[in-house]
C-alpha cells in the first residue's frame, strides 16, 4: 500500500524532528590537493538530513533519522555513528540487495573550481526509498518533518516519496524543506520540481544562488513571489546574511507534549532585527501580516566550507522548537553554521545553549563585530568572542 492511511491522526509526539534522506560514508582527504594526488583518506559520514538530525540531537533535542542503507559494513558504520550523536535510528531500513552510498571529496571549498567530489551512490539503498517502503508512522511522529531536495534527485521513486510526504493531509506535521540544489544530481533532470516541492512545505530554506541556478529567479523578493505558500521562507544570502519571510502558520493538531510557542508571527519586526512574536510548530493561528526580517551573517575564520547549510537549518529549527523570535532563529542558525565552518568535517559539537543564547542576545553593533574562529564553541564567556577588526 502506498502512502499513509487517509485521515490517520497523529498521536502525542515524543520526537521533536524527524529527518528523512540519504546518508553516506564520506572519505575526507588527508591533505589538500586533487583527488588524484591525495595519498589517503579518513572515514566520516555525510548526509544533509542526517547532519541536521545529529546537530539537533547534540543541541539537546529529540531527533530521529529515517533512511535506507545497505546490509553492509558501511551501513553499520552510518547507523552506529549517527546513533552515537543521540539520534533515534530505529526506523532505518536495511537493504540486502543494494549498497550504502559513499563519496570522496577534496579539502577545498565546494563553491570553487578546484573542489572535487566523487560520488558512488547510483543504485544505492537510499535511492530505492519509495512511497511503498517507508515507515509513515515514524515519519509523522515528530513535531517537524525535515526533508531536502537531494532526496528528490536520487530516483523517480524518491521524488514520488517526497510528493507524498509534502501532500496536504490531516495530521501532517510541520514540513521543513531545504532546497539543497545539487547540479550534478540533476544532470538530465528537471530541477524545477524543487520549486513544486518548496511550495508544498511549511518552512523552506533556499540559497539565493540555488534559486538562480535551479529556477532562474534572482533576489529574495522574487523568490518569495515564486514561493508564496510556506509560512516561513528563509532565503540564505551567503556573506550578506539571511532574509526571512514569515506569516501565520498553517493550523495543525497540537501535541500534549509538543511545547514551544503557539503564536503566529506578529507584525512588529523591523528590517535587521527586533522582537517578533514567535511562531512555533503546530500553531493554531493562521494568517496575519507578512514579516520580513534580515539578519547579517557572522564573520568566520573558515576551516572547511562544508556542512554549513545543514548546520544553519539545524540552528534555525532548534530555535523554532524553542519558540524564539525570528531574528534569534536566524542568529542561532548562523552560530551553528559557524561551529561547522571552523572544523574540518560536516559535524561538530555545537556551542552550549547558554553560550549561544548570550551571543544571540548581543546588540546589533556587537553582533556586527563578532568574529569566530577555530575553538570558539569552547569559550566560557561570550565576551571572549567579540573582536573588532
Amino acid at each position: 500500500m502506498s502512502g499513509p492511511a487517509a485521515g490517520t491522526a497523529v498521536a502525542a509526539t515524543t520526537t521533536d524532528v524527524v529527518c528523512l534522506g540519504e546518508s553516506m560514508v564520506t572519505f575526507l582527504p588527508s591533505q589538500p590537493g586533487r583527488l588524484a594526488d591525495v595519498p589517503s583518506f579518513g572515514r566520516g559520514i555525510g548526509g544533509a538530513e542526517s547532519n541536521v538530525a545529529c546537530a539537533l540531537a547534540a543541541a539537546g533535542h529529540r531527533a530521529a533519522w529515517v533512511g535506507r542503507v545497505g546490509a553492509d559494513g558501511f551501513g553499520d558504520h552510518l547507523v552506529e555513528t549517527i546513533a552515537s550523536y543521540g539520534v533515534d535510528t530505529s526506523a532505518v531500513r536495511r537493504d540486502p540487495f543494494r549498497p550504502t552510498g559513499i563519496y570522496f571529496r577534496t579539502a577545498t571549498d565546494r563553491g570553487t573550481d578546484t573542489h572535487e567530489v566523487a560520488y558512488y551512490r547510483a543504485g544505492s539503498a537510499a535511492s530505492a526509498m519509495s512511497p511503498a517502503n517507508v515507515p509513515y508512522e515514524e515519519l509523522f511522529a515528530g513535531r517537524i518533518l525535515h526533508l531536502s531536495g537531494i532526496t528528490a534527485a536520487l530516483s523517480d521513486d524518491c521524488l514520488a516519496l517526497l510528493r507524498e510526504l509534502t501532500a496536504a493531509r490531516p495530521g501532517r506535521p510541520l514540513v521543513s524543506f531545504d532546497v539543497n540544489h545539487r547540479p550534478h544530481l540533476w544532470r538530465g533532470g528537471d530541477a524545477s520540481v524543487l520549486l513544486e516541492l518548496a511550495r508544498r512545505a511549511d518552512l523552506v530554506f533556499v540559497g539565493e544562488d540555488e534559486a538562480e541556478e535551479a529556477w532562474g529567479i534572482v533576489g529574495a523578493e522574487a523568490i518569495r513571489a515564486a514561493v508564496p505558500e510556506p509560512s516561513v521562507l528563509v532565503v540564505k544570502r551567503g556573506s550578506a546574511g539571511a532574509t526571512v519571510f514569515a506569516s501565520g502558520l498553517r493550523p495543525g493538531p497540537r501535541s500534549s507534549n509538543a511545547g514551544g510557542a503557539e503564536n503566529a508571527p506578529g507584525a512588529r519586526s523591523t528590517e535587521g532585527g527586533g522582537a517578533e512574536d514567535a511562531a512555533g510548530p503546530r500553531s493554531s493561528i493562521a494568517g496575519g501580516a507578512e514579516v520580513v526580517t534580515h539578519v547579517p551573517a557572522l564573520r568566520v575564520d573558515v576551516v572547511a566550507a562544508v556542512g554549513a547549510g545543514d548546520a544553519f537549518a539545524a540552528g534555525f529549527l532548534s530555535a523554532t522548537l524553542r519558540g524564539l523570535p525570528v531574528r534569534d532563529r536566524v542568529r542561532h542558525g548562523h552560530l551553528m553554521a559557524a561551529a561547522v565552518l571552523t572544523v574540518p568535517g560536516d559535524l561538530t559539537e555545537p556551542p552550549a545553549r547558554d553560550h549561544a543564547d548570550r551571543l544571540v542576545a548581543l546588540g546589533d553593533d556587537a553582533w556586527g563585530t563578532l568574529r569566530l574562529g577555530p575553538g570558539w564553541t569552547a569559550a566560557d564567556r561570550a565576551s571572549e568572542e567579540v573582536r573588532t577588526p
Side-chain angles (χ1 to χ4, degrees):
M1 178 179 176
S2 173
T8 298
V10 176
T13 63
T14 58
T15 304
D16 292 321
V17 182
V18 178
C19 303
L20 172 134
E22 179 173 37
S23 191
M24 295 180 289
V25 172
T26 309
F27 290 92
L28 307 173
S30 59
Q31 64 185 44
R34 302 183 310 154
L35 285 179
D37 300 327
V38 175
S40 60
F41 297 81
R43 185 179 65 175
I45 65 169
E49 302 85 0
S50 61
N51 286 349
V52 171
C54 289
L56 284 167
H61 298 285
R62 299 162 299 185
W65 172 61
V66 177
R68 193 175 182 87
V69 301
D72 49 34
F74 286 146
D76 293 341
H77 176 67
L78 273 176
V79 174
E80 291 167 5
T81 304
I82 293 169
S84 73
Y85 283 85
V87 176
D88 180 356
T89 59
S90 60
V92 175
R93 299 297 190 255
R94 308 301 293 261
D95 191 319
F97 305 110
R98 299 175 181 85
T100 303
I102 64 173
Y103 73 96
F104 297 76
R105 68 170 175 81
T106 55
T108 50
D109 187 337
R110 180 180 284 152
T112 66
D113 292 337
T114 59
H115 184 69
E116 295 177 75
V117 182
Y119 287 101
Y120 299 89
R121 74 196 309 176
S124 70
S127 69
M129 290 189 296
S130 76
N133 63 16
V134 296
Y136 285 95
E137 184 175 353
E138 287 88 347
L139 285 171
F140 285 1
R143 295 167 58 193
I144 297 174
L145 172 61
H146 181 70
L147 310 168
S148 98
I150 294 173
T151 306
L154 297 180
S155 67
D156 290 343
D157 280 344
C158 283
L159 174 56
L161 173 60
L162 284 204
R163 282 179 166 144
E164 186 73 44
L165 293 176
T166 56
R169 61 168 49 87
R172 187 186 87 170
L174 185 147
V175 173
S176 167
F177 180 72
D178 192 336
V179 170
N180 254 330
H181 176 239
R182 297 288 185 265
H184 66 276
L185 290 177
W186 291 99
R187 291 172 187 155
D190 182 9
S192 66
V193 72
L194 297 174
L195 181 59
E196 170 201 333
L197 294 170
R199 295 183 64 179
R200 295 156 67 104
D202 302 301
L203 165 59
V204 172
F205 301 94
V206 63
E208 276 191 321
D209 55 342
E210 293 178 301
E212 182 173 2
E213 186 169 20
W215 308 329
I217 300 172
V218 180
E221 295 287 348
I223 295 170
R224 182 51 160 170
V227 191
E229 291 87 356
S231 301
V232 179
L233 171 68
V234 183
V235 180
K236 297 176 290 183
R237 306 175 65 192
S239 61
T243 299
V244 180
F245 300 84
S247 58
L249 287 180
R250 184 183 308 166
R254 293 175 182 265
S255 167
S256 61
N257 62 349
E262 300 290 349
N263 298 320
R268 297 201 300 271
S269 173
T270 57
E271 187 72 11
E276 299 84 11
D277 290 341
R282 303 179 184 275
S283 172
S284 62
I285 303 173
E290 176 111 313
V291 181
V292 182
T293 305
H294 178 71
V295 181
L298 292 165
R299 289 179 298 166
V300 179
D301 298 329
V302 176
V303 172
V306 292
D310 306 329
F312 178 91
F316 191 96
L317 290 173
S318 173
T320 297
L321 288 162
R322 296 172 61 197
L324 299 184
V326 171
R327 186 209 68 170
D328 293 0
R329 299 181 197 191
V330 179
R331 285 190 172 188
H332 275 285
H334 285 323
L335 289 170
M336 289 278 264
V340 169
L341 288 170
T342 50
V343 298
D346 291 22
L347 293 167
T348 189
E349 188 73 19
R353 180 172 289 184
D354 60 347
H355 183 186
D357 284 344
R358 289 196 300 270
L359 293 176
V360 165
L362 291 173
D364 290 344
D365 289 343
W367 178 263
T369 62
L370 195 60
R371 186 181 187 116
L372 303 175
W376 74 269
T377 58
D380 292 328
R381 294 179 297 111
S383 60
E384 295 177 8
E385 306 310 312
V386 180
R387 305 200 303 270
T388 54

